[in-house]
Amino acid sequence: LLGKKTLSKDILEELETILFSADVGTKTTQALLRVIEEKLGRSELKDNDTVREALKDEIYKMINLGESEYKYEKHKPCVIMIVGVNGVGKTTTIGKIAARLNQKGKKVMLAAGDTFRAAADEQLEVWSKRSDAMLVRGQPGQDPSSVIFDAVKSGVARDVDVILADTAGRLHTQQNLMEELKKVRRTMEKAHEGTPHEILLVLDATIGQNAVNQAKEFNDALGLTGIALTKLDGTAKGGIIIAITNELKIPVRYVGVGEHIDELKIFDPSEFVEALFS
Amino acid sequence: SLTSKLEETFRKLRGQGKLNEKNIQDALKDVRMSLLEADVNFKVVKQFIQDISERSIGTEVMKSLTPGQQFIKIVHDEMIRLLGSEEDTALDLAHKPPVVIMVVGLQGSGKTTTCGKMAYMLKKQKRRPYLVPADVYRPAAISQLKTLAKQIGVDVWDTNPEDDPVDVVEAALSYARKNGYDTLIVDTAGRLHIDEDMMAEITDIKEALDPKEILFVADAMTGQDAVQVAKTFNDHLSITGVVLTKMDGDARGGAALSIRSVTGKPVKLVGMGEKVDRLERFYPDRIASRILG
Ligand SMILES: Nc1nc2c(ncn2[C@@H]2O[C@H](COP(=O)(O)OP(=O)(O)OP(=O)(O)O)[C@@H](O)[C@H]2O)c(=O)[nH]1
Ligand SMILES: Nc1nc2c(ncn2[C@@H]2O[C@H](COP(=O)(O)OP(=O)(O)OP(=O)(O)O)[C@@H](O)[C@H]2O)c(=O)[nH]1
Ligand SMILES: [Mg+2]
Ligand SMILES: [Mg+2]
């Protein structure tokens, strides 16, 4: 007799503005608002604060997978493969992680797996110096798999704690390049059993819905175990990770908040949710 | 696809003769969802839907096309109109040499690569371009542009990481003028639109160069943030055009509409790959179809 209970038009519009503007996406926004409409009572749905708090809780549940930073002590050497599309911040994030591990007394090695892009190895070399990490690099145009194979072998021999393997940026739509990445992964296993222990996808917070495609494709190809969300120091909110963590169950490990070596934070779901609504 | 969704929506319009506010509500909703999924900015979508609504109300539902197809044609044509006509997408190079092209944008958008591509393109057009690395911050940025310059056989200024970018561009411009280069392509550091110091720097670089082209380089997969970023860069610099990079991916590219909408400036070039020859002119009809899905 009363009809389906729904959010008031004003509250709905306000929330859509917040969520759409944060790149949460239409599907996820609609799903979230539907959950709120089912959960809350008729009078609660008219109260802005109650609705907002309920929404924050729902988002928190979707992004809190209970495990932020990877436990690098689990393996020695612990081998991490860093992947993602062009320009998202892979190389810079590796430098930051290396510095963080170095500060904790870990012996870190970087593998210059981008043998394609102009000055990619030089860029990683600067980061290796800044983070006091070892560097293994190859020749320009060399098969990235062979560079990474050498790095893993060398890291094992030199009793390194963590090996961070950089790879060239590539679009998930480039079949041959995705195959190249699968080969890199297989090669790591050949160099040292059980590796890579972590495959980290780097996503740029300024990217829109294409991030979901990226996550799906890289996950299908490699099996991702973590995400690093960069450039959150800008005005983009990175709402795309809500759908990604909820659907693919891949935890966000880190957030990048600047171009400097110390501008890396461990992902904090409640902080992320607050920032969405600020 | 949007077309099939609209066909379904318009099946109910049979025999209604004219499009009116009431019968196109569902159709507008379909378009709205599709544009949001394509990353067109939320506010830009709102305005676009309003324009479409005004344009299509009263239109005869033509007998030659089904209502769905006709409606899509209205939407498509409106989008192409908004994305800009094809004439103003040429680079403005008809000036006393050396003509300066300055490239700006967020971190990682593809500026350095685009500078290399433009130098390659201009060299093929029998021009004598000169590349200037003005990014002294990013590790190996200077080396990256120098490597590209060497690959394509174009001369490049020997910037040092300790140099001041304003001094660099002034010296390079003067050198280019004295040595007969007709085009100066200046690569700048990626920067946040909210970084006051860096926005002040880019304004100083602009003043030192008096560029005829200030190209805002944006990643085709940019989301809702495209509006804020583009507006700020445009407010500070009065950009003359936009380059959309990484269009060889499957991003719908709604940022193109957002950026054009908020700046009024044309998309001039499109990056279609990592290699130096992967730069194309912008074709509004191609991206319109892509955004609409
Ligand atoms: N503001 C900001 N900039 C960042 C952040 N992370 C990386 N960057 C910048 O983004 C740009 C690209 O970073 P890279 O590390 O080269 O990205 P990449 O993914 O390795 O790029 P490719 O190897 O070319 O695919 C650089 O200018 C970095 O300084 C961040 O968290 N905030
Ligand atoms: N697939 C594809 N990749 C591109 C395109 N344009 C640039 N890239 C890649 O995007 C990444 C970033 O390019 P850069 O030229 O370093 O970007 P940038 O804007 O100079 O970066 P910063 O100087 O750090 O701000 C590199 O891996 C490029 O090869 C394009 O049109 N398509
Ligand atoms: Mg890199
Ligand atoms: Mg650059």
Side-chain angles (χ1 to χ4, degrees), chain A residues 86-92 117 123 169 231 233 256 258-259, chain B residues 107:
Chain A
N86 310 72
V88 294
K90 299 177 291 300
T91 307
T92 306
R117 207 208 68 213
Q123 183 187 8
K231 308 179 197 172
D233 46 316
E259 301 192 70
Chain B
Q107 292 87 348

Side-chain angles (χ1 to χ4, degrees), chain B residues 7-285:
Chain B
E7 286 306 320
E8 190 52 38
T9 302
F10 276 91
R11 211 149 295 176
K12 312 170 194 137
L13 275 196
R14 286 261 154 73
Q16 287 189 31
K18 275 201 172 130
L19 295 175
N20 61 49
E21 236 186 286
K22 189 164 173 296
N23 66 29
I24 62 168
Q25 276 321 306
D26 285 345
L28 288 174
K29 224 184 248 153
D30 290 340
V31 175
R32 179 177 182 250
M33 282 302 126
S34 185
L35 293 180
L36 286 172
E37 283 162 24
D39 293 321
V40 179
N41 181 271
F42 179 66
K43 293 205 179 83
V44 174
V45 173
K46 212 172 184 181
Q47 184 60 49
F48 185 80
I49 296 297
Q50 211 172 304
D51 296 342
I52 295 298
S53 175
E54 288 169 13
R55 231 167 215 240
S56 50
I57 287 171
T59 320
E60 291 289 341
V61 170
M62 290 195 278
K63 297 190 179 53
S64 55
L65 291 172
T66 64
Q69 281 178 352
Q70 183 190 354
F71 187 74
I72 258 269
K73 181 166 181 345
I74 293 171
V75 176
H76 200 251
D77 290 350
E78 181 61 9
M79 179 155 311
I80 291 177
R81 192 188 66 83
L82 279 177
L83 287 171
S85 56
E86 288 184 39
E87 304 97 60
D88 56 3
T89 62
L91 289 178
D92 181 19
L93 304 176
H95 297 274
K96 181 162 162 288
V99 181
V100 181
I101 301 172
M102 181 174 116
V103 164
V104 305
L106 291 178
Q107 292 87 348
S109 59
K111 299 175 292 301
T112 305
T113 307
T114 299
C115 286
K117 289 176 180 179
M118 285 195 293
Y120 175 79
M121 179 181 79
L122 295 176
K123 185 180 176 208
K124 285 231 323 271
Q125 292 172 6
K126 303 282 181 266
R127 291 184 72 101
R128 263 198 93 207
Y130 192 73
L131 283 167
V132 186
D135 178 357
V136 300
Y137 309 100
R138 168 174 155 153
I142 297 164
S143 179
Q144 185 184 0
L145 193 62
K146 281 185 175 171
T147 302
L148 289 174
K150 188 150 175 266
Q151 281 175 10
I152 54 186
V154 164
D155 295 334
V156 57
W157 182 257
D158 185 12
T159 309
N160 287 306
E162 315 82 51
D163 294 342
D164 178 88
V166 178
D167 296 339
V168 166
V169 302
E170 282 176 343
L173 180 57
S174 154
Y175 177 83
R177 195 171 281 135
K178 293 198 185 93
N179 290 278
Y181 295 97
D182 53 33
T183 329
L184 202 74
I185 302 170
V186 181
D187 183 25
T188 67
R191 70 201 62 225
L192 293 180
H193 52 303
I194 53 172
D195 185 332
E196 295 190 359
D197 293 335
M198 289 302 275
M199 292 312 284
E201 173 192 277
I202 200 72
T203 306
D204 291 343
I205 294 176
K206 173 189 176 178
E207 270 166 38
L209 289 170
D210 184 24
K212 289 291 177 267
E213 285 284 0
I214 300 178
L215 300 176
F216 174 64
V217 176
D219 198 320
M221 34 184 139
T222 309
Q224 297 289 309
D225 201 39
V227 159
Q228 293 194 56
V229 180
K231 181 170 192 305
T232 309
F233 272 89
N234 192 40
D235 287 348
H236 281 264
L237 301 169
S238 290
I239 64 177
T240 58
V242 179
V243 180
L244 268 190
T245 62
K246 308 173 205 173
M247 280 281 281
D248 44 315
D250 60 356
R252 295 268 295 275
L257 185 62
S258 303
I259 295 171
R260 167 79 185 190
S261 206
V262 78
T263 63
K265 303 296 164 63
V267 175
K268 296 204 171 192
L269 297 164
V270 166
M272 288 297 286
E274 293 192 76
K275 304 219 166 95
V276 276
D277 59 352
R278 311 269 54 232
L279 189 68
E280 297 178 6
R281 286 274 302 265
F282 174 68
Y283 297 103
D285 57 329

Side-chain angles (χ1 to χ4, degrees), chain A residues 162-175:
Chain A
V162 183
I163 302 174
L164 300 168
D166 194 8
T167 62
R170 72 207 60 223
L171 298 178
H172 50 290
T173 48
Q174 292 167 308
Q175 269 279 60

Side-chain angles (χ1 to χ4, degrees), chain A residues 135-182:
Chain A
L135 177 70
V136 169
R137 64 209 285 189
Q139 298 298 322
Q142 181 178 342
D143 182 354
S145 293
S146 74
V147 177
I148 291 183
F149 182 88
D150 292 345
V152 176
K153 282 289 186 202
S154 171
V156 171
R158 298 163 77 173
D159 205 36
V160 152
D161 292 311
V162 183
I163 302 174
L164 300 168
D166 194 8
T167 62
R170 72 207 60 223
L171 298 178
H172 50 290
T173 48
Q174 292 167 308
Q175 269 279 60
N176 58 328
L177 296 183
M178 293 306 283
E179 286 305 314
E180 175 184 89
L181 219 47
K182 287 182 197 173

